[in-house]
Amino acid sequence: MDENNVTLITAIHLLGFQIPQSITYLVFFPFLLFYCVTICGNLLIITLVSYSKSLHSPMYFFLSQLSLSDILLATDVVPNMLHAVLENMTIVSVSDCITQFYFFAATESLDSLLLTVMSYDRYLAICRPLHYTMVMSHRFCWITVISSWSLSFLAVLVYTLTISTLQFCGPNIIDHYFCDLDPILQLSCSDTTIVQLEATTLSVMFALIPFFIIIVSYIYIIVTILEIPSITGRQKVFSTCSSHLTVVSIFYGTIVCVYMVPSKGQSWNISKFVSLLYTVVTPVLNPIIYSLRNKDLKQVIRKIIYKI
């Protein structure tokens, strides 16, 4: 192909779900409800952690950061998706598409790091309780959180800048509801080897290594719990990490589903459905899981209701 004759695209058509017009609102309103619950639920957790002195502990501090990350993820993807549902398609510029992918990848990476730090917090609390206060100091928590935010957004920025140097010459149609990596690269007429290498590196840094750390942490936690003689004691200790374990299972379970579905030879409808799990379902489930399964949060909510 003669590069001088290549026509570069400036706008991308996101096809969304391509649903019949008759059921547009049946799809639109559930997604809108999910988005509202995501924002309100995560804002509630952030407010409760800031409001109540009983929740001023490292675990809830990290939880508030996870809630903030989920708000960013949902706001990056869902509003544009809702527009695509109503119009049966939405048009975005190439730069906007890459920007959306940047915030999506950064928040997903941040979630992974925060869940890893939270697993380390639970490991110290259960397996090394005498060292917990000394290690999980106020200073350590802030350094960890700032490092997680900085590392996620800076590392993904380098990766995204490489994507922005590619030439996109069409077709200018993405059969998806948001700008994910594979659909973007399929529009490129440049060599994507470097981008794919960076994608693999970031996957190892922000998915594989954190997942391994979480697995090792929970092996130690489970061994420690099994050494507790009484069943009541085991249940009480396990309840302190059950919410986190549930969220980790959902988060990494959806990621595994994404990478287990081959991108070639598969219907894009499958990819869209799997993508819904980690862009829409996971952010709305996190506050629900912690609110329903955590006694401290439920007690604070009851106090506020009684005061009102």
Side-chain angles (χ1 to χ4, degrees):
M1 181 184 293
D2 184 1
E3 292 186 1
N4 294 325
N5 295 326
V6 170
T7 302
L8 301 181
I9 61 175
T10 58
I12 296 173
H13 296 250
L14 291 173
L15 296 184
F17 297 99
Q18 293 296 293
I19 56 176
Q21 193 68 30
S22 58
I23 63 170
T24 296
Y25 290 104
L26 290 177
V27 176
F28 175 81
F29 284 112
F31 282 147
L32 178 61
L33 178 62
F34 266 55
Y35 180 61
C36 292
V37 172
T38 298
I39 300 301
C40 294
N42 284 292
L43 280 177
L44 176 63
I45 287 183
I46 294 172
T47 304
L48 291 177
V49 172
S50 302
Y51 165 81
S52 176
K53 292 182 179 179
S54 63
L55 300 180
H56 288 178
S57 65
M59 181 177 69
Y60 295 111
F61 175 65
F62 296 135
L63 176 59
S64 67
Q65 298 299 311
L66 183 66
S67 295
L68 181 57
S69 177
D70 284 341
I71 290 174
L72 290 176
L73 173 61
T75 303
D76 179 50
V77 174
V78 180
N80 202 52
M81 181 187 72
L82 293 174
H83 182 267
V85 170
L86 286 178
E87 301 294 331
N88 231 12
M89 182 184 68
T90 187
I91 301 175
V92 297
S93 66
V94 172
S95 59
D96 287 345
C97 191
I98 295 174
T99 300
Q100 184 186 48
F101 171 72
Y102 166 69
F103 283 101
F104 161 73
T107 50
E108 284 287 293
S109 302
L110 177 60
D111 276 3
S112 181
L113 293 182
L114 289 174
L115 289 172
T116 306
V117 174
M118 293 171 75
S119 71
Y120 179 64
D121 172 81
R122 292 299 83 203
Y123 160 77
L124 285 177
I126 295 172
C127 303
R128 299 287 186 270
L130 297 179
H131 297 85
Y132 183 81
T133 305
M134 180 179 65
V135 176
M136 281 292 170
S137 62
H138 185 72
R139 182 172 178 268
F140 175 82
C141 292
W142 273 107
I143 291 175
T144 305
V145 164
I146 292 173
S147 299
S148 297
W149 279 86
S150 302
L151 185 61
S152 300
F153 280 83
L154 288 176
V156 176
L157 177 61
V158 174
Y159 172 40
T160 309
L161 289 176
T162 306
I163 296 175
S164 66
T165 62
L166 300 176
Q167 287 188 324
F168 298 95
C169 48
N172 64 339
I173 296 174
I174 290 181
D175 188 8
H176 214 314
Y177 63 88
F178 79 105
C179 297
D180 205 353
L181 178 62
D182 285 342
I184 291 176
L185 294 185
Q186 287 182 14
L187 304 184
S188 175
C189 47
S190 304
D191 183 9
T192 60
T193 304
I194 295 178
V195 175
Q196 292 172 345
L197 180 62
E198 290 177 339
T200 303
T201 303
L202 286 178
S203 297
V204 172
M205 287 177 56
F206 294 103
L208 192 59
I209 293 177
F211 182 67
F212 176 74
I213 294 173
I214 292 173
I215 291 296
V216 172
S217 298
Y218 271 98
I219 289 175
Y220 279 103
I221 289 172
I222 291 171
V223 169
T224 302
I225 291 175
L226 292 177
E227 290 176 351
I228 299 174
S230 66
I231 297 177
T232 305
R234 292 177 189 173
Q235 291 175 342
K236 185 177 180 180
V237 173
F238 183 74
S239 65
T240 63
C241 60
S242 59
S243 298
H244 176 258
L245 184 59
T246 304
V247 170
V248 166
S249 301
I250 294 172
F251 179 79
Y252 282 102
T254 55
I255 290 178
V256 168
C257 288
V258 170
Y259 287 103
M260 284 183 65
V261 176
S263 58
K264 295 183 179 180
Q266 293 289 342
S267 169
W268 272 111
N269 290 327
I270 298 176
S271 298
K272 292 176 189 177
F273 174 75
V274 175
S275 298
L276 280 174
L277 295 178
Y278 61 84
T279 58
V280 178
V281 177
T282 301
V284 78
L285 282 181
N286 288 352
I288 294 175
I289 291 170
Y290 274 99
S291 298
L292 293 179
R293 299 178 65 89
N294 192 285
K295 293 180 180 179
D296 294 334
L297 278 174
K298 287 192 287 188
Q299 287 178 355
V300 173
I301 292 173
R302 288 195 196 99
K303 288 180 181 179
I304 294 175
I305 292 174
Y306 288 150
K307 287 184 178 181
I308 293 174

